[in-house]
């Protein structure tokens, strides 16, 4: 089974999985701290991957998408939404769809098209009986045109699986391929930079508040010390008079 972080599009997930209906949908996982900060939600997917079992093609579900679902998918595609899936804690990413012949400034124009990718191809590498690499690709030949959201469109969501021997990558080095990954957009870097900036700002505000409180407390202590000195002097005067 693969885990993925996904978004709900009117009863469907970003990868075409039916969240509502008779088919068993996603099972929500308990969020970790990092996932909560990033706004991710991890769920168990219905893609069945058996070890070393190649799948040429398998149907996930077949359904008709209405205007509501098509509109949400289309907006997600134009906003460059992508999904993130995990197999044995190894991440892989893929886009929901693609669009063509659009103006960079004006956006969608006459003659432009928006396509949904309903088929995913999983390629999984093994070494000494252990999974060391995973990738997921979308096939452009099987894409579905969803440009006209007012026309109900029947879509077959499917997937295929290919296993291969990756002798050059030992299991202990399997995460090194992700060190220079360029798939994630720059917005993620900006997002984390914003979190760091916010954290630094909180620290600075806390420091300023501490300094202000220390000065106020210092003034109070000084005033109290002066009062104590005056009280001591009065006591000494009284003691001298009594003698």
């Amino acid at each position: 089974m693969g885990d993925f972080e996904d978004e709900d599009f009117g009863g469907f997930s970003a990868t075409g999985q039916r969240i509502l209906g008779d088919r068993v949908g996603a099972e929500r996982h308990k969020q970790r701290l990092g996932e909560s900060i990033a706004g991710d939600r991890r769920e168990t997917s219905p893609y069945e991957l058996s070890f070393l079992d190649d799948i040429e093609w398998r149907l996930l579900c077949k359904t008709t998408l209405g205007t509501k679902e098509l509109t949400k998918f289309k907006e997600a595609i134009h906003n460059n939404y992508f999904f993130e899936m995990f197999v044995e804690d190894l991440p892989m990413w893929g886009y929901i769809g693609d669009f063509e012949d659009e103006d960079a400034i004006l956006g969608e124009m006459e003659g432009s098209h928006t396509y949904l990718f309903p088929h995913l191809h999983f390629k999984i590498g093994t070494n000494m009986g252990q999974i060391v690499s995973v990738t997921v690709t979308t096939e452009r030949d099987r894409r579905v045109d969803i440009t006209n959201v007012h026309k109900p469109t029947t879509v077959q969501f499917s997937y295929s699986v290919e296993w291969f021997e990756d002798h050059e990558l030992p299991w202990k080095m399997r995460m090194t391929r992700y060190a220079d990954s360029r798939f994630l957009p720059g917005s993620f870097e900006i997002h984390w930079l914003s979190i760091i900036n916010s954290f630094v700002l909180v620290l600075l505000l806390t420091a300023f508040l501490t300094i202000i409180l220390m000065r106020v407390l210092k003034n109070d202590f000084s005033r109290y010390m002066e009062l104590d000195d005056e009280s001591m002097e009065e006591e000494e005067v009284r003691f001298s008079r009594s003698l």
Side-chain angles (χ1 to χ4, degrees), residues 171-232:
W171 186 85
K172 63 179 181 180
M173 300 294 292
R174 61 183 188 154
M175 300 302 293
T176 56
R177 289 188 175 179
Y178 300 97
D180 298 324
S181 176
R182 293 292 179 265
F183 179 88
L184 295 178
S187 58
F188 266 41
E189 297 177 5
I190 297 174
H191 178 71
W192 283 109
L193 183 60
S194 299
I195 293 176
I196 295 172
N197 287 338
S198 300
F199 182 70
V200 172
L201 182 60
V202 169
L203 290 179
L204 289 175
L205 291 175
T206 304
F208 290 147
L209 182 61
T210 302
I211 292 172
I212 293 171
L213 289 175
M214 289 296 293
R215 288 186 176 182
V216 172
L217 291 174
K218 182 179 179 181
N219 292 334
D220 289 342
F221 281 130
S222 299
R223 188 165 63 253
Y224 293 147
M225 290 298 292
E226 291 176 1
L227 291 176
D228 289 341
D229 291 340
E230 291 176 1
S231 300
M232 289 293 294

Side-chain angles (χ1 to χ4, degrees), residues 1-2 15-17 45-49 60 85 120 122 158-159:
M1 283 288 192
T15 49
Q17 169 196 349
S45 75
Y47 297 93
E48 296 180 359
L49 277 65
L60 187 65
M85 306 182 75
L120 300 181
F122 299 98
S158 58
Y159 65 100

Side-chain angles (χ1 to χ4, degrees), residues 33-217:
L33 178 60
E35 294 169 355
S36 300
I37 294 175
D40 296 328
R41 297 183 299 277
R42 185 179 294 193
E43 301 172 345
T44 299
S45 75
Y47 297 93
E48 296 180 359
L49 277 65
S50 301
F51 191 71
L52 298 181
D53 182 16
D54 287 345
I55 300 174
E56 185 175 349
W57 183 88
R58 179 177 290 174
L59 179 67
L60 187 65
C61 70
K62 180 179 181 180
T63 187
T64 300
L65 301 178
T67 301
K68 180 181 178 181
E69 294 84 8
L70 290 173
T71 301
K72 287 192 174 184
F73 272 118
K74 191 173 181 179
E75 290 176 354
I77 292 169
H78 283 259
N79 287 312
N80 294 319
Y81 273 45
F82 64 91
F83 58 86
E84 181 179 33
M85 306 182 75
F86 296 86
V87 174
E88 293 292 324
D89 289 329
L90 293 173
M92 50 187 172
W93 303 275
Y95 284 104
I96 302 170
D98 195 10
F99 51 87
E100 292 181 350
D101 301 326
E102 289 196 0
D103 189 270
I105 299 176
L106 300 178
E108 189 174 7
M109 301 177 62
E110 185 178 356
S112 61
H113 295 275
T114 303
Y115 298 100
L116 178 67
F117 295 147
H119 183 83
L120 300 181
H121 179 71
F122 299 98
K123 191 172 182 180
I124 305 175
T126 62
N127 189 350
M128 301 293 291
Q130 294 177 311
I131 296 175
V132 294
S133 64
V134 294
T135 57
V136 59
T137 56
T138 51
E139 296 189 8
R140 296 176 60 86
D141 295 339
R142 299 184 181 182
R143 61 186 182 177
V144 177
D145 192 335
I146 60 169
T147 306
N148 184 6
V149 297
H150 302 292
K151 177 185 176 182
T153 303
T154 300
V155 181
Q156 283 191 149
F157 292 100
S158 58
Y159 65 100
S160 54
V161 184
E162 176 187 353
W163 295 82
F164 69 99
E165 285 289 332
D166 194 351
H167 298 293
E168 297 180 359
L169 184 64
W171 186 85
K172 63 179 181 180
M173 300 294 292
R174 61 183 188 154
M175 300 302 293
T176 56
R177 289 188 175 179
Y178 300 97
D180 298 324
S181 176
R182 293 292 179 265
F183 179 88
L184 295 178
S187 58
F188 266 41
E189 297 177 5
I190 297 174
H191 178 71
W192 283 109
L193 183 60
S194 299
I195 293 176
I196 295 172
N197 287 338
S198 300
F199 182 70
V200 172
L201 182 60
V202 169
L203 290 179
L204 289 175
L205 291 175
T206 304
F208 290 147
L209 182 61
T210 302
I211 292 172
I212 293 171
L213 289 175
M214 289 296 293
R215 288 186 176 182
V216 172
L217 291 174

